[in-house]
Amino acid sequence: MSVNMHFEDDYFPAAPQSGLQVLIQEQMSRAPWWLLSVMVHLIFGTAFSLMAFSKFEPEPEAKFASTIEQALPEEIEEKIEKAPFEEARDIPCEMPSIEEPVISDDPLDDHNETDSNQDYEAAQGDPDSISNIPMVGKFTNATIGVGGGRGGAFGGRYGGKRRCRAGGATRKTESAVYSALIWLKNHQNPDGMWSTDKFMANCKGGACGGRGSSAEYDMGNTGLALLAYLGAGHTHNTGKFQRTVKAGLMAVKDRQLPNGCFGQQGGDGHWIYNHLITTMAVAEAYGLSRRSPMIESMAQKAVDYVLECQNPHFGWRYGCRPGDNDTSCTGWAVLALKSAKLSGLTVPTEAFDGAANWIEKVTDESYYKTGYTTKGDAGARLATVKNSRPLEAMTAAALASRIFMGETLRSPKVMGAANLLKNCPPKWNVSEGTVDMYYWYYGALAMWQIGGSHWTTWNDALKTALVPTQHSTGCLAGSWDPVCAWGEAGGRVYSTAINALTLEIYYRYAKVLNKK
């Protein structure tokens, strides 16, 4: 090594050094070896960097512009990909303020359906509905029974309802329901309520007529109207009548008393009907809204008050725990509590036990006719209504209650009552006093569940009675004249709402008895 070094020094003689070079050389000789190593690496690193940059010359200007144009989409995509997402926020509990969609004149404008009784596809319901449980079950076990499609108890009320035609619905029955909902919408008060005796203030182009007897029934009529919308799948946040339903729910909420009762109490105790019907409406609204927290408190308080009004071990009557019972109030209570149970509200088993005890007590053992307050009675009628034939309204209410509380086709009491209804189908004849919309409503609920020839006979008569008698022109269009047994009290709002509910039977509840 020393030979080579001397050779190099001899071959390349050293150049004269300046004073600065000598000074640096002296300092370097005194520096520690690690510092020298760092400096050497820095020098070589800088040299290689300069070599790398000097090796690549810039491209011509045209190529540079082309490169930018090609890279632009990638740069945009990268910016989009890196854009920050909005933080997830809880959905507000209060019902949103939603502008109501434009409602077309044709209720089936998005479907090419014919007006016939041909069987349609089996109802599928909405897979996102609140549950897959049918409107049946031994009191609290709501999973007993065969459901009516993926939607469960309330699911068929959504889009699947238009395929639920195997039961005998037609384009005309659907059009009748839709027209009734339009009439109810047009006659809703600005405060969200439906008026029994003053709804004509909302008429356009002449008063409709058919006023009810008293504002005392406004709460009950509002409950029935809400049920009509809910029965067709319209809620405060789904369907074409969101604003209408929202206004109605807010109206009954504002009028709920601290004890949970809807509307004022007092007098002869008939306010219990108002409360039972409206409780059923808010319970279904709660279930259909995927258990909205805003509705939950109102609904549970209402249910608790229904339970408070029940006579121990029996049913319901006018007022709160009056000591006597009747099948009419008990029937509405069963429907309200069953809807509440299906919707996830708290309902004890004992409530259904008491209702069953009462129905059993007033049902005839031979023909299975159910009385109103005693076994074998003819039921109740308004004192001022003279031309109204006693029909099987209480038998129908009892039959629907039995089915919804878990009795099956194997029960002689179920089939015995069904036979009575089959022999007394709907018939619109005012002069003969056969119009009883209350009876037809309960009869449709029960006979739809029975099915077979019982339902076919009933349904054919029902459509013949209701579809042609609905008004189709002017402000009256969509309504029915209140010429039934209870029409004088409830008026046109009552007759229109309850008939709409009756014609919604094809998709309102799942069928649960067909395979039992």
Side-chain angles (χ1 to χ4, degrees):
M1 185 71 179
S2 60
V3 175
N4 292 337
M5 290 293 293
H6 284 296
F7 174 81
E8 290 174 356
D9 288 346
D10 292 340
Y11 195 83
F12 298 103
Q17 294 181 337
S18 65
L20 178 60
Q21 290 175 323
V22 173
L23 178 61
I24 293 173
Q25 186 175 5
E26 291 178 355
Q27 295 297 324
M28 291 283 292
S29 64
R30 297 174 184 175
W33 289 107
W34 64 267
L35 181 59
L36 291 175
S37 176
V38 171
M39 293 180 67
V40 170
H41 281 83
L42 286 173
I43 292 170
F44 277 102
T46 303
F48 278 118
S49 298
L50 293 173
M51 290 173 63
F53 279 105
S54 62
K55 184 177 181 180
F56 299 97
E57 297 179 357
E59 296 183 5
E61 183 175 353
K63 292 184 178 180
F64 178 77
S66 174
T67 302
I68 293 296
E69 290 176 359
Q70 293 174 359
L72 186 58
E74 296 179 0
E75 293 179 3
I76 293 176
E77 290 176 3
E78 182 179 3
K79 290 180 180 179
I80 294 174
E81 182 180 355
K82 294 181 178 179
F85 289 95
E86 184 180 59
E87 293 184 2
R89 294 175 294 181
D90 292 334
I91 298 174
C93 295
E94 291 296 322
M95 292 186 291
S97 177
I98 302 175
E99 288 299 319
E100 194 162 348
V102 176
I103 301 172
S104 66
D105 293 333
D106 186 355
L108 302 177
D109 57 359
D110 55 343
H111 298 269
N112 296 319
E113 300 178 22
T114 59
D115 181 20
S116 71
N117 288 327
Q118 294 178 348
D119 288 355
Y120 299 160
E121 300 176 55
Q124 294 299 309
D126 187 338
D128 296 324
S129 181
I130 64 159
S131 74
N132 288 321
I133 52 180
M135 186 69 169
V136 75
K138 189 62 176 176
F139 304 157
T140 59
N141 185 1
T143 61
I144 296 175
V146 179
R150 290 181 296 169
F154 302 134
R157 301 181 186 184
Y158 294 107
K161 75 186 180 69
R162 298 197 184 282
R163 298 190 297 275
C164 192
R165 300 289 182 94
T170 67
R171 187 180 182 89
K172 288 182 178 179
T173 62
E174 274 293 85
S175 180
V177 170
Y178 188 84
S179 297
L181 298 182
I182 291 292
W183 186 90
L184 289 169
K185 173 185 179 294
N186 291 338
H187 291 82
Q188 184 183 29
N189 290 346
D191 64 359
M193 295 288 287
W194 276 269
S195 176
T196 303
D197 58 344
K198 296 179 181 178
F199 68 88
M200 299 85 69
N202 302 302
C203 290
K204 296 178 177 63
C208 287
R211 59 179 295 175
S213 62
S214 172
E216 176 185 353
Y217 307 117
D218 285 1
M219 183 61 70
N221 269 333
T222 298
L224 282 176
L226 285 172
L227 282 169
Y229 289 103
L230 296 167
H234 301 284
T235 72
H236 69 274
N237 52 21
T238 58
K240 296 182 177 181
F241 298 93
Q242 297 173 34
R243 183 184 297 172
T244 301
V245 177
K246 177 182 176 181
L249 289 173
M250 295 304 294
V252 299
K253 184 176 186 292
D254 290 343
R255 289 160 177 79
Q256 188 175 34
L257 302 179
N259 63 3
C261 184
F262 288 113
Q264 295 300 313
Q265 300 170 278
D268 56 11
H270 283 83
W271 50 262
I272 191 66
Y273 279 109
N274 293 329
H275 180 67
L276 295 174
I277 293 170
T278 308
T279 297
M280 184 179 178
V282 298
E284 292 196 3
Y286 175 61
L288 284 165
S289 65
R290 275 81 171 172
R291 301 178 180 178
S292 165
M294 192 221 71
I295 302 177
E296 181 177 14
S297 176
M298 167 175 59
Q300 188 61 61
K301 284 174 60 179
V303 168
D304 291 344
Y305 192 67
V306 171
L307 298 171
E308 184 177 337
C309 291
Q310 184 179 19
N311 291 311
H313 311 298
F314 279 112
W316 287 258
R317 177 67 164 158
Y318 304 146
C320 183
R321 296 192 180 187
D324 54 343
N325 308 267
D326 75 56
T327 304
S328 180
C329 290
T330 299
W332 282 112
V334 168
L335 292 182
L337 294 179
K338 191 64 181 185
S339 292
K341 190 72 178 179
L342 288 174
S343 297
L345 298 168
T346 302
V347 181
T349 302
E350 292 77 12
F352 297 107
D353 289 334
N357 290 340
W358 171 252
I359 292 172
E360 190 71 20
K361 184 176 181 178
V362 290
T363 299
D364 179 84
E365 296 86 352
S366 300
Y367 302 101
Y368 306 108
K369 175 185 176 68
T370 301
Y372 174 56
T373 57
T374 60
K375 188 180 297 185
D377 66 27
R381 285 291 185 271
L382 291 174
T384 55
V385 177
K386 304 300 182 183
N387 187 27
S388 180
R389 183 183 301 178
L391 302 173
E392 296 292 347
M394 294 302 98
T395 302
L399 177 56
S401 297
R402 287 183 187 276
I403 293 171
F404 292 159
M405 290 191 296
E407 292 199 40
T408 72
L409 288 174
R410 293 190 297 269
S411 168
K413 297 168 186 175
V414 168
M415 290 311 301
N419 289 333
L420 289 177
L421 269 59
K422 183 180 181 181
N423 293 327
C424 186
K427 181 180 179 182
W428 188 288
N429 191 317
V430 178
S431 62
E432 294 182 5
T434 61
V435 182
D436 191 339
M437 299 167 188
Y438 178 95
Y439 167 49
W440 299 349
Y441 167 69
Y442 270 112
L445 285 178
M447 297 295 266
W448 164 251
Q449 297 294 335
I450 298 297
S453 62
H454 289 77
W455 170 244
T456 302
T457 299
W458 180 274
N459 187 46
D460 288 345
L462 181 69
K463 290 185 293 186
T464 301
L466 287 182
V467 173
T469 55
Q470 184 184 38
H471 284 280
S472 59
T473 59
C475 193
L476 285 168
S479 69
W480 281 271
D481 292 334
V483 292
C484 62
W486 304 102
E488 185 177 304
R492 190 171 297 276
V493 173
Y494 162 79
S495 59
T496 302
I498 201 166
N499 284 343
L501 274 171
T502 301
L503 289 175
E504 290 166 359
I505 189 59
Y506 310 101
Y507 42 79
R508 191 163 172 232
Y509 295 123
K511 292 197 72 170
V512 298
L513 293 180
N514 53 340
K515 294 183 180 180
K516 301 202 76 174

